[in-house]
């Protein structure tokens, strides 16, 4: 096992569940952001300008939900392949880094709170609607999660405003 700076946290105890939870959260968060800020406007504009119909919030919620679920599935598949390629020491190192990443914890917390508030808002606005489906509630939770991520990005401390390491590695 590699030597770690913090002797109170043993990454070997969380080497399996922590990365899977992280992958799941990133899949939901990525799909929520994509669905809320890309798919929802496109669906609304398509309904209004192309089909000349009234914008249907239920169809937008379905689009956001399907994007979130699709992203979750894709992220889970890609993350599984990546995790299967890691050795035990690499997995423990990743768990250690996740455990001590305060910005990630803040982002996840705001996303989860936003998701819960989005689900509550969807339940409130869809009460008594006979056309409501589970996808509409997932869409509401996704919009809330995306709003939590946006809140994190807009309010993070100035010293934490640096280029995203993953994005830097992907595009450079």
């Amino acid at each position: 096992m590699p030597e770690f700076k913090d002797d109170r946290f043993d990454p070997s105890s969380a080497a399996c569940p922590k990365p899977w939870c992280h992958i799941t959260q990133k899949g939901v968060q990525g799909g929520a952001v994509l669905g809320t800020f890309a798919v929802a406007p496109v669906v609304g504009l398509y309904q209004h300008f192309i089909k000349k119909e009234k914008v249907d919030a239920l169809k937008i919620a379905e689009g956001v939900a399907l994007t979130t679920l699709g992203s979750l599935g894709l992220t889970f598949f890609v993350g599984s392949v990546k995790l299967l390629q890691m050795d035990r020491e690499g997995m423990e190192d990743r768990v250690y880094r996740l455990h001590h990443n305060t910005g990630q914890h803040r982002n996840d917390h705001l996303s989860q709170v936003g998701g819960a508030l989005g689900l509550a808002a969807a339940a409130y606005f869809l009460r008594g609607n006979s056309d409501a489906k589970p996808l509409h509630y997932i869409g509401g939770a996704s919009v809330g999660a995306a709003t939590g991520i946006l809140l994190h990005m807009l309010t993070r401390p100035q010293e934490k405003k640096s280029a995203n390491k993953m994005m830097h590695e992907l595009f450079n």
Side-chain angles (χ1 to χ4, degrees), residues 12-23 95:
S12 63
S13 64
C16 191
K18 187 133 184 138
W20 291 108
C21 291
H22 178 70
I23 288 169
V95 167

Side-chain angles (χ1 to χ4, degrees), residues 84-103:
L84 290 173
Q85 295 172 349
M86 291 177 115
D87 62 351
R88 180 78 178 178
E89 192 170 297
M91 185 87 72
E92 289 177 6
D93 181 59
R94 184 70 183 126
V95 167
Y96 181 82
R97 291 172 190 270
L98 286 171
H99 179 76
H100 291 287
N101 189 335
T102 55

Side-chain angles (χ1 to χ4, degrees), residues 79-171:
S80 299
V81 171
K82 176 114 174 124
L83 287 179
L84 290 173
Q85 295 172 349
M86 291 177 115
D87 62 351
R88 180 78 178 178
E89 192 170 297
M91 185 87 72
E92 289 177 6
D93 181 59
R94 184 70 183 126
V95 167
Y96 181 82
R97 291 172 190 270
L98 286 171
H99 179 76
H100 291 287
N101 189 335
T102 55
Q104 189 65 57
H105 291 296
R106 183 175 184 270
N107 180 58
D108 291 345
H109 179 73
L110 288 172
S111 173
Q112 291 164 356
V113 169
L117 291 173
L119 178 61
Y124 176 79
F125 289 114
L126 293 173
R127 70 186 186 285
N129 187 336
S130 61
D131 295 332
K133 300 179 201 170
L135 276 179
H136 301 134
Y137 297 99
I138 293 171
S142 297
V143 170
T147 304
I149 293 167
L150 180 63
L151 179 65
H152 165 71
M153 294 175 70
L154 294 174
T155 62
R156 65 186 165 187
Q158 187 63 35
E159 65 271 8
K160 299 286 186 186
K161 290 186 178 179
S162 61
N164 183 296
K165 184 179 176 186
M166 181 189 77
M167 293 300 193
H168 178 75
E169 289 175 4
L170 273 176
F171 297 112

